[in-house]
Amino acid sequence: MERFEPMVAIDVDTKEAALKLFDQLAGDTNHTPIVKIGMELYYAFGPGIVKQAKQRGLAVFLDLKSYDIPNTVHRAMRVIGKLGVRYTTTHAAGGTEMLKAAKEGLVEGAHEAGLPEPKLLEITELTSIDENILKNEQHVDLPLIDVVKNYAQVAERAGLDGVICSAQEVEAIRTVTKPDFLCVTPGIRPNLSVHDDQKRVVTPAQARKLGSNGIVVGRPITQSDNPVAAYQAIRQAFMEGEE
Ligand code: C5P
C-alpha cells in the first residue's frame, strides 16, 4: 500500500513563522516532508509561499478546498496545476461534473507547465459537520458514515485520487473503493491526552494500522519546541509502525 511522508499543516499567520518552519523541516535532509499550505497562508501570501517551500526542497499539499461551478473550478485548478504542488483538494458537494472539471483543469495546468500531475483529494464532509447538521440543515437522512462512503465512491468514479477523511472512516471507505484509492487522515496526536480541539484522535501508529495512506499533523509538530524531532518521531511511528 502506498504510504507517504506525514503532511505538516503550516497553520501560522505570519510569513516569518511559515518560513522558519519550512527551514526547520527542510533541515531534515534524509526525508522530504510535505507541508500543507491552507487558505490562510495562501490568501495572505499567494503562490510565492508555495515557491518558498519548493525552493527548500519541500513537497507541497495546497489545501484550498475548491468549491464552485465546474467552469470556475476548472480554471482555478488549471492555475494550481501550474504551481508544482503534489496534492490539492476540492469539495464532494460540488457534484460529479465539478469534480471531473477539477481533475481536468489540474491535469491540463500541470501538462502545460511540464510538471507531474498533482493528486486530487476530495473533502467528503468536514469534520465540523455532525449528524445533527447533516439531518437538520442539509436535510440528509442518512448516517454520516454512509454519506462519506458514498462521496468516496463519487470521487473515485469522477477520477479523483482519494479523500481526506477521519482514520476511523478508512476501513469503511476501503470496502467500497479500489485498493489504490487514497485515504489521507487528519486528527493525529502522538499523545492522545493532548487533543486540542480535535474530538476523535488517533496516534500515527494507529492511523497506519487503520490503513491511512497519509496523515496530516499540525500542532503536535508546529507548536513543539523541536519541530524536527517531533516530525521525525511521528514519521517513524507512521512509516515504520513504531510507537
Ligand atoms: O493541529 P492539527 O494537527 O489538529 O491540524 C490538523 C490540520 O488538518 C488542520 O490544518 C486542519 O484544518 C486540518 N483538517 C482537519 N480535519 C479535517 C480536514 C482538515 O483537522 N477533516
Side-chain angles (χ1 to χ4, degrees):
M1 194 189 81
E2 184 181 1
R3 191 170 287 117
F4 31 84
E5 299 285 324
M7 296 156 146
V8 185
I10 311 291
D11 296 324
V12 293
D13 55 8
T14 68
K15 199 170 191 173
E16 291 65 38
L19 296 185
K20 186 172 173 205
L21 280 166
F22 289 174
D23 284 333
Q24 287 171 317
L25 292 166
D28 181 353
T29 47
N30 292 326
H31 314 110
T32 305
I34 305 167
V35 288
K36 184 174 88 86
I37 296 175
M39 286 186 254
E40 183 181 7
L41 269 190
Y42 193 79
Y43 290 161
F45 309 112
I49 198 74
V50 172
K51 212 168 157 188
Q52 293 277 2
K54 289 186 56 191
Q55 276 170 352
R56 288 163 172 79
L58 300 165
V60 177
F61 169 18
L62 187 59
D63 184 21
L64 299 183
K65 300 185 169 68
S66 313
Y67 178 36
D68 209 315
I69 58 170
N71 181 56
T72 305
V73 168
H74 185 280
R75 295 169 74 94
M77 283 289 174
R78 196 163 147 247
V79 175
I80 293 178
K82 292 180 185 172
L83 296 179
V85 303
R86 200 177 286 179
Y87 305 90
T88 192
T89 49
T90 187
H91 260 281
T96 299
E97 204 190 325
M98 188 210 73
L99 295 173
K100 283 185 175 166
K103 179 73 181 182
E104 274 170 27
L106 196 60
V107 168
E108 212 173 284
H111 288 183
E112 279 171 28
L115 293 166
E117 293 171 16
K119 303 257 188 228
L120 183 56
L121 305 171
E122 181 200 69
I123 309 295
T124 53
E125 285 288 350
L126 297 169
T127 37
S128 49
I129 303 293
D130 59 15
E131 305 271 356
N132 179 40
I133 300 175
L134 198 68
K135 192 169 167 33
N136 298 315
E137 294 181 22
Q138 299 183 352
H139 290 190
V140 174
D141 249 337
L142 290 171
L144 191 60
I145 187 66
D146 290 347
V147 175
V148 169
K149 272 164 72 178
N150 174 55
Y151 273 152
Q153 286 177 290
V154 170
E156 186 171 59
R157 284 198 295 265
L160 270 63
D161 302 285
V163 286
I164 308 287
C165 62
S166 140
Q168 278 101 347
E169 293 162 353
V170 174
E171 218 178 347
I173 291 171
R174 296 242 181 262
T175 63
V176 295
T177 54
K178 295 194 194 87
D180 62 350
F181 192 70
L182 302 174
C183 291
V184 173
T185 63
I188 305 293
R189 289 294 176 272
N191 176 355
L192 294 180
S193 60
V194 186
H195 53 81
D196 305 307
D197 56 351
Q198 295 280 15
K199 296 204 175 64
R200 289 182 304 146
V201 295
V202 300
T203 65
Q206 283 168 341
R208 176 192 170 88
K209 285 195 202 105
L210 289 164
S212 300
N213 300 94
I215 50 175
V216 178
V217 193
R219 287 160 288 183
I221 294 174
T222 58
Q223 293 186 4
S224 157
D225 292 338
N226 187 340
V228 177
Y231 172 79
Q232 284 168 341
I234 286 167
R235 180 189 185 279
Q236 178 93 349
F238 179 63
M239 304 296 276
E240 325 287 344
E242 288 165 28
E243 294 274 5

